[in-house]
């Protein structure tokens, strides 16, 4: 049987209208077409010398229930008041009265300094958690210089499940207080079958001087 040659110029790789990513100005977020996977804006919090930033379901237009099976928190330009502070988070099962849900997590990062003299990949046993109620570090050792900050994302899966543990993953970057670029990977689970109905962010030391955290729901 003869093989037919595929003409490269005949291939159409342009996404269809149902697949294209578009910006929805009314929802303040990006979403796809009818194929699904819409990213829907829910709430944006802006820090200004803030001790904490909290997203509580049913409060101030926050949705954090079975409406979506996945939620994404995008944190941008998190600037600590204290040099070398860690940006952290925790969940709540009682509408924000307590942020102390038991977690088991894993934590590793790559690093490189401005002088080019130190670089590598490292698993951090001091930043992971083993059945702990402590706040989980998402971005470590952020400098408080005028141009220093941390940014990243946190994905929380099916927080309203009362059958399974609640998994989360995070990827972040920080301008380290010692002039390092830190690329951090964090994953774990809330080891609790109650629904997670609130999430709080804070620095482990001092206030959040500036920055925003925006919550989206994924269809």
């Amino acid at each position: 049987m003869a093989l037919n040659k595929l003409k490269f110029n005949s291939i159409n790789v342009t996404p269809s209208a149902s697949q294209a990513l578009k910006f929805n100005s009314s929802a303040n977020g990006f979403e796809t077409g009818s194929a699904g996977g819409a990213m829907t804006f829910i709430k944006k919090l802006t820090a200004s010398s803030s001790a904490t930033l909290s997203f509580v379901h049913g409060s101030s237009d926050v949705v954090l229930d079975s409406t979506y099976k996945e939620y994404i928190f995008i944190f941008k330009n998190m600037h600590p008041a204290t040099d070398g502070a860690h940006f952290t988070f925790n969940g709540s099962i009682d509408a924000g009265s307590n942020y102390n849900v038991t977690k088991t997590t894993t934590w590793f990062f790559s690093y490189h300094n401005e002088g080019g003299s130190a670089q590598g990949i490292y698993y951090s046993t001091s930043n992971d958690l083993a059945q702990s109620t402590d706040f989980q570090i998402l971005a470590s050792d952020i400098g408080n210089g005028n141009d220093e900050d941390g940014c990243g994302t946190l994905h929380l899966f099916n927080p309203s499940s009362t059958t399974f543990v609640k998994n989360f993953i995070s990827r972040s970057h920080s301008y380290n207080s010692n002039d390092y670029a830190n690329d951090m990977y964090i994953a774990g689970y809330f080891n609790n079958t109650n629904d997670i109905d609130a999430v709080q962010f804070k620095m482990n030391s001092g206030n959040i001087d500036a920055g925003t955290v925006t919550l989206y729901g994924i269809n």
Side-chain angles (χ1 to χ4, degrees):
M1 179 183 293
L3 294 176
N4 293 323
K5 292 183 178 180
L6 181 64
K7 295 181 179 180
F8 178 78
N9 291 334
S10 67
I11 300 175
N12 183 1
V13 294
T14 304
S16 66
S18 63
Q19 297 171 321
L21 190 68
K22 59 185 180 180
F23 185 78
N24 185 333
S25 59
S26 62
N28 292 323
F30 288 95
E31 59 183 31
T32 59
S34 59
M39 185 172 175
T40 303
F41 172 83
I42 297 175
K43 185 73 175 180
K44 179 179 181 180
L45 298 179
T46 300
S48 179
S49 297
S50 305
T52 61
L53 295 176
S54 303
F55 294 83
V56 181
H57 174 68
S59 175
S60 301
D61 300 320
V62 171
V63 175
L64 194 63
D65 62 3
S66 60
T67 301
Y68 303 99
K69 294 297 184 181
E70 178 185 359
Y71 290 85
I72 299 177
F73 299 87
I74 300 178
F75 47 98
K76 301 177 184 177
N77 304 125
M78 307 312 298
H79 184 263
T82 303
D83 193 40
H86 308 321
F87 184 63
T88 69
F89 95 106
N90 211 334
S92 173
I93 60 174
D94 52 16
S97 294
N98 299 280
Y99 290 94
N100 58 357
V101 184
T102 300
K103 294 171 293 301
T104 293
T105 67
T106 180
W107 209 103
F108 74 95
F109 72 110
S110 61
Y111 60 91
H112 188 203
N113 69 351
E114 290 185 0
S117 60
Q119 59 281 315
I121 298 175
Y122 178 74
Y123 185 90
S124 177
T125 57
S126 62
N127 290 337
D128 63 13
L129 300 175
Q131 290 299 92
S132 172
T133 60
D134 291 347
F135 274 67
Q136 173 62 55
I137 296 173
L138 297 178
S140 66
D141 300 302
I142 307 172
N144 71 341
N146 291 337
D147 62 345
E148 297 175 333
D149 65 349
C151 300
T153 58
L154 170 66
H155 298 248
L156 176 60
F157 300 95
N158 202 14
S160 65
S161 173
T162 55
T163 301
F164 301 107
V165 300
K166 267 62 71 177
N167 298 278
F168 57 84
I169 56 175
S170 177
R171 173 101 184 261
S172 61
H173 177 269
S174 69
Y175 185 149
N176 182 279
S177 57
N178 292 314
D179 297 330
Y180 278 75
N182 284 349
D183 184 12
M184 291 150 283
Y185 298 77
I186 302 95
Y189 54 90
F190 289 107
N191 197 7
N192 197 303
T193 55
N194 292 307
D195 61 314
I196 301 296
D197 55 10
V199 172
Q200 185 176 89
F201 299 89
K202 68 177 184 179
M203 295 293 175
N204 75 315
S205 176
N207 288 338
I208 306 172
D209 183 62
T212 63
V213 182
T214 307
L215 173 62
Y216 294 88
I218 306 298
N219 283 336

